[in-house]
Amino acid sequence: MMENKENIGDSLNSKESDKGTSLLECADCLPSPAPAADQNIHVEDHSIVFFDLETTGLGSKCDIIQLSAVCMEKTFNVYMVPRTPIMKGASAVTGFTVRRHKLYLHRRPVQTKTHRDCLMSFLAFLRALNRPLLAGHNIKRFDCPILARVLEEFQLNEEFKLLVSGFLDTLILSKDLLQNTGIKSFKQENLVKELLKKSYPAHNALEDVKALQDLYSALRPTPAQITSHLFTLDHMESHMSLQPLVEGKAISKTTAQKLARLGFNFEKMKRSHLQNPSEGLRQFLEPLKQELKNSMFTKTVDKICDFFKTEQ
């Protein structure tokens, strides 16, 4: 896990007529929201796999170098030669370098596989664990988006989604569980030092996941606390897609979270508006009424419609 990875959050971070078509005509052609995150999952019935990536940098376009996971005594660890240069800062932290298309760790050669072979091996590891939960530190903002992008590159993302029950970000979980303890830094290395009274060779994905599994045991979250922080890749991707609406002041961050939880994303909302500018979006967002007061729902839909009109 790379230095400052836990703090990456904020830094990563055709025109129709006004009449449109009638609701009856449009009902069958409106897009459907994606499946919402399953908040009714029985976490006690699923094993937890702790995973981590080492990458070429902290940017959203960085490539994977190492992918590691641990589930109780079962471990998974693979290396791959990155397709993009390793940033000097990342190399200094992780010890990874590439020379003549070969990967080195602290100047020693490392056996590597292709990205596709590494991902296929990871899928096989997960398949043997019967739809586990995947947990990691700051994975919602860093590891998951990168992993999802590379999985999609090799057309493996849909298979991957079928093999896992959900995701748990231990950074968010630890901030919730330890908010009144006086702990100021929630970096994994610091939490291990504070709670387990030990240090470990950080910034190596395999060592990181082993330490995280021990840290999680010390945190001892309840099933309810775990469930409240679960998310899916669909939920994460939906939330990320809604950021233009947040930045354009069409919706609040809280509303974006609610929309993502309900399975809505930017493109499907835009399409519903274009198909029926007068009522399409209002009909499409009907499930949001359960989350907002009627007056707030109307105001929210109007602001989103205004946003899409200015884009045309």
Side-chain angles (χ1 to χ4, degrees), residues 194-240:
E194 290 279 350
L195 300 182
L196 303 181
K197 308 301 180 186
K198 69 176 185 179
S199 59
Y200 68 98
H203 313 306
N204 177 288
L206 185 58
E207 297 298 332
D208 281 326
V209 293
K210 289 178 178 178
L212 183 58
Q213 183 169 246
D214 293 340
L215 176 62
Y216 182 85
S217 296
L219 289 172
R220 300 179 65 182
T222 66
Q225 289 167 331
I226 297 170
T227 302
S228 68
H229 291 292
L230 290 180
F231 67 95
T232 66
L233 281 187
D234 285 330
H235 171 271
M236 181 198 72
E237 291 165 353
S238 293
H239 187 263
M240 291 175 64

Side-chain angles (χ1 to χ4, degrees), residues 74 79 96 131-132 134 145 181 183 211 264 293 301 304 309:
K74 298 181 178 70
Y79 301 94
F96 285 113
R131 301 197 73 239
L134 263 62
T181 61
I183 292 178
F264 294 105
K293 293 181 179 179
V301 173
I304 297 174
K309 286 177 182 177

